[in-house]
Amino acid sequence: MSAPAAALPAVLAGEGRGAVVRRAERKDGEVVSSPLGRGAVRSDLEQVFRTAYPRVVAVAARVLGSRDEAEDVAQEVFLTFARSSVPTGEAVRWLSVAAAHTALNHLRSGRRRATREEAADSSGAISPDIADAVVTLDERRRVRAALARLPRRQAVALVLRHSGLSYAEVAAALDLSPGSVGTTVRRAESALRKELNRHASSE
C-alpha cells in the first residue's frame, strides 16, 4: 500500500474528533477553512489526497527535517481540509500553504521530538567522521531555529519555493504578484542568514 493510501484511513478516522474549522480566508497570515457541516466529509477527499499528499509531506519535511513528523503534519492538514469547503481547484495550493504554516507552528511551539529528528538524521549514509556528523546535525538545527524566527510570510515563501513550487505557484498561494516572489524569497534568505549570524555571534 502506498504512503497516501495508508495514511488516508487515519485522516478519515480523525473526523470524529470534532475539529473546529473556519471560513477559507487569511487570518493573521494563516490559512483557515470553512466547515461543510457536522459529520460531512468532502466527496473529492480521496482524489485530492492521492494527488497532493507527496507535496504536502515534502513541504512539511522542508521545515521539520523529519519524514515522520512531516507525515503527522500532513494528516493534521488533511483532517482540516476534509471538512472544509476549499474549492477543488485551489486544494493543492491551500494544502501546501497550510502544511508550511502547520510545520512552522510545530517548530515555534516546541512540539518537535528531538529523538525523531536525531533518528531521521542518522538514518542516512554513515559518515566516516563523527565530528562531521555532529556539525551537520547542529547546523540543521540552527537553520530550523532561525527559520522559526523569521516573519511568517517570508518563512512560508522560502519554504514553498525550496519545496519545488514555481514562482507563479508561490505567488498564487500567498496572494503576491509573480514579480514580487523573487524579491520576497531573496529577502527571506537574507533574513535567514542574518538570524544565523546574529545567534552565532551571541554564543
Side-chain angles (χ1 to χ4, degrees):
M1 183 179 291
S2 66
L8 182 57
V11 171
L12 293 174
E15 285 305 302
R17 298 175 191 169
V20 176
V21 288
R22 301 178 180 85
R23 181 174 177 74
E25 59 187 16
R26 298 183 186 281
K27 182 178 181 182
D28 298 328
E30 298 198 38
V31 181
V32 292
S33 59
S34 64
L36 287 174
R38 184 173 296 276
V41 178
R42 302 175 62 106
S43 61
D44 63 348
L45 176 60
E46 183 173 356
Q47 174 195 342
V48 172
F49 192 94
R50 291 178 187 279
T51 300
Y53 185 84
R55 173 174 283 187
V56 171
V57 171
V59 169
R62 281 284 179 183
V63 177
L64 299 168
S66 164
R67 173 81 184 188
D68 286 341
E69 288 186 75
E71 289 178 348
D72 288 346
V73 166
Q75 289 195 17
E76 187 176 334
V77 168
F78 274 103
L79 176 59
T80 300
F81 174 77
R83 298 192 57 181
S84 77
S85 57
V86 175
T88 302
E90 298 176 15
V92 175
R93 182 176 70 195
W94 186 92
L95 287 161
S96 297
V97 175
H101 280 298
T102 304
L104 285 166
N105 286 343
H106 279 238
L107 273 186
R108 292 179 175 185
S109 66
R111 282 186 282 167
R112 306 197 61 227
R113 282 156 275 191
T115 53
R116 277 193 174 187
E117 180 184 6
E118 289 167 6
D121 284 316
S122 64
S123 64
I126 298 174
S127 172
D129 186 341
I130 189 64
D132 288 343
V134 171
V135 168
T136 300
L137 178 60
D138 186 57
E139 191 62 27
R140 289 175 183 170
R141 286 177 176 160
R142 288 171 186 266
V143 170
R144 289 183 192 117
L147 180 66
R149 293 190 294 268
L150 292 185
R152 178 63 65 127
R153 177 170 286 240
Q154 285 188 351
V156 172
L158 191 60
V159 169
L160 294 180
R161 180 61 183 146
H162 284 275
S163 296
L165 274 71
S166 68
Y167 275 56
E169 289 173 320
V170 174
L174 299 180
D175 287 338
L176 297 172
S177 65
S180 70
V181 172
T183 300
T184 301
V185 171
R186 285 193 295 274
R187 286 177 178 168
E189 290 171 340
S190 176
L192 185 64
R193 284 192 292 271
K194 287 179 182 177
E195 275 295 317
L196 288 168
N197 292 335
R198 184 167 66 86
H199 279 261
S201 63
S202 66
E203 291 178 354

